[in-house]
Amino acid sequence: MSSEMSLSDQVALLSRQNEKLSAALVRAREQLEKMDERLAELASPPSPYGIYIQPGPDRSADILLSGRHMNVTVDRGAGALRPGQILRLSEQLVVLEGLGFPTTGEVVTAKLVIGTDRVLVTSNQAEQVVRIADPLLASGVRPGDSLRAEPAYGFAYELLERPDVEELLLEEIPDVSYGDIGGLGSQIDQIKDSLELPFQHPGLYRDHGLKPPKGVLLYGPPGCGKTLIAKAVATSLAETSGDERAFFLNVKGPELLNKYVGETERQIREIFERARDRAASGHPVVVFFDEMEALFRTRGSGVSSDAETTIVPQLLAEIDGVETLDNVIVIGASNREDMIDPAILRPGRLDVKIRIERPDKDGALDIIRKYLTPALPIHADEVVAHGSVAAAVDEMARVTVDAMFTKDERTQYVELTYAGGGREILYLSDFASGAMIAGLVDRAKTYAIKDLIATGVRGLTTDHLLEALDQEIRQNDDIAGVTNADDWARINGQSTNKRVTFVRSLAGAQRDDDTSSPPAVTPRNTFAGSDFGGRL
């Protein structure tokens, strides 16, 4: 019996061993198959890549392979092929499929478009004719465009927006109207007569043989509204021409200067190319050069380097080129118009010159009413004293402007010393500007907020405005540090036939020189308690 059990156990053991051996053989077979596949892969020939140029006869294609032009067969499953596309080929050089497009290359500049699919490009003073790849055909190429090209393949693949020019441009649709500008009524009328009449009555201009002006120069002291007027021109041209859009290209003039020869001129060309593109679509375009004297100084003046000897002619060429274009206006702004090259300002270029003066008393009142409005929270005592919010605002504005234009010791600003030995005292009103008035109202709003936080009483008062005016005078102490007094006087619109040799700040001079005992109660500001009014 034991022998029979022993025999059955042996059979079972052998059966299990057989199963294990069978499983091992299966695994070995699978491993052998994988090794065969791996060996086949390692032994397979490489797949060459080429660049598709154009279709050939009878399902063939002209390609570029390792710098050689070849005509090869195209597999039926390769799909649609496009110029400049990367191709995968078989060992027998049959096109198997089309892949993507190259993503790297050299930056070149388009110089001339040839036909519909070729372009002459320049790079490092070398010229080459390349084909336009399929992705670039849709966007189009114009002379002056920066392109990404692969010279070895002979294709241009991508249109590049040059960041150096983009950073120098602020392209926007302005929302400033003439109604937002105060104190410049006569200058706005000159702008309208010069720029808007040709858009409103083009037939009359043609009948009289007149051409619209190419450009306008706005000059005068800083902060008096030159940039605001330029923006309002763009908005008004859009309304006059019936176009819902207008473009305002604000060029950061000083940043155009580049130490590399020819770079500044290239950027000027691209700026005007942008303007031409926008104008071609029918939208009015205003190209605004702020601080124009920094870039287009008089040639041969000896004031700066000789960079202007090539920069100024480039601008002149572009302005003259605008003659045949519609909807493009060049506006320059400057605090020193005497430093701009005369060729730019001659008739036929920036031939309309408008001086933006500092506001007089009526102009200052008009400006302050743009910022001090009944929509602001006005102190209840002011409203009660004057009968209504509107009446209170009008009186607060009047009192503030009266204080600003009063010429006494409280409003003394600077003392000028002339080369002949004479002296002249200038007052706060001699330096009034729209920017100063806007800042004054903003400072008064800050004081009102601080009082609201401290006392819980809400609203602007006349005293807030007078305190802000007093602080405007106090902040004039740094004028004593000017290094070139005559240039400072010219920039601020105080130039005369006499040369200024020294500028002395008079801000707070009365308070500093007063050695008498202080009053029992110190007023909040030098105007408080005066004839102009104060905190109610």
Side-chain angles (χ1 to χ4, degrees), residues 278-472:
R278 297 295 182 267
S281 62
H283 303 303
V285 179
V286 172
V287 182
F288 179 59
F289 287 93
D290 205 357
E291 306 298 340
M292 203 169 189
E293 76 282 356
L295 190 61
F296 306 111
R297 289 178 180 264
T298 301
R299 289 167 288 183
S301 62
V303 178
S304 64
S305 67
D306 60 351
E308 64 271 6
T309 58
T310 55
I311 296 174
V312 170
Q314 182 64 52
L315 177 67
L316 299 180
E318 296 295 342
I319 292 178
D320 286 338
V322 175
E323 182 177 2
T324 58
L325 298 179
D326 296 325
N327 302 332
V328 177
I329 295 294
V330 179
I331 298 181
S334 175
N335 303 322
R336 292 292 305 273
E337 73 285 353
D338 57 303
M339 298 178 67
I340 300 176
D341 193 284
I344 296 176
L345 305 181
R346 74 155 174 80
R349 288 170 178 156
L350 297 190
D351 45 4
V352 179
K353 292 171 277 293
I354 300 175
R355 180 170 179 82
I356 308 300
E357 299 281 1
R358 293 190 181 277
D360 57 12
K361 190 173 183 179
D362 292 337
L365 191 60
D366 186 23
I367 294 172
I368 198 171
R369 284 171 176 164
K370 304 292 182 183
Y371 302 98
L372 185 64
T373 66
L376 298 173
I378 305 300
H379 197 284
D381 291 345
E382 298 276 4
V383 178
V384 171
H386 301 291
S388 66
V389 173
V393 168
D394 285 343
E395 182 63 18
M396 292 165 64
R398 184 195 64 78
V399 169
T400 304
V401 172
D402 285 345
M404 178 184 295
F405 279 80
T406 296
K407 294 188 176 182
D408 57 22
E409 291 183 345
R410 293 170 299 181
T411 58
Q412 287 181 349
Y413 212 60
V414 296
E415 181 186 67
L416 303 183
T417 302
Y418 296 103
R423 296 184 178 182
E424 180 183 6
I425 292 177
L426 299 180
Y427 296 86
L428 179 64
S429 58
D430 296 318
F431 293 86
S433 67
M436 175 192 289
I437 295 172
L440 185 150
V441 175
D442 287 344
R443 190 179 292 118
K445 294 174 183 177
T446 302
Y447 295 151
I449 292 173
K450 292 173 65 177
D451 281 356
L452 174 60
I453 295 173
T455 65
V457 180
R458 178 183 177 85
L460 275 166
T461 66
T462 303
D463 196 30
H464 288 141
L465 292 164
L466 295 179
E467 181 182 5
L469 185 61
D470 180 63
Q471 289 300 316
E472 179 65 36

Side-chain angles (χ1 to χ4, degrees), residues 472-483:
E472 179 65 36
I473 300 175
R474 290 174 183 268
Q475 291 182 357
N476 190 41
D477 293 335
D478 59 346
I479 288 181
V482 298
T483 57

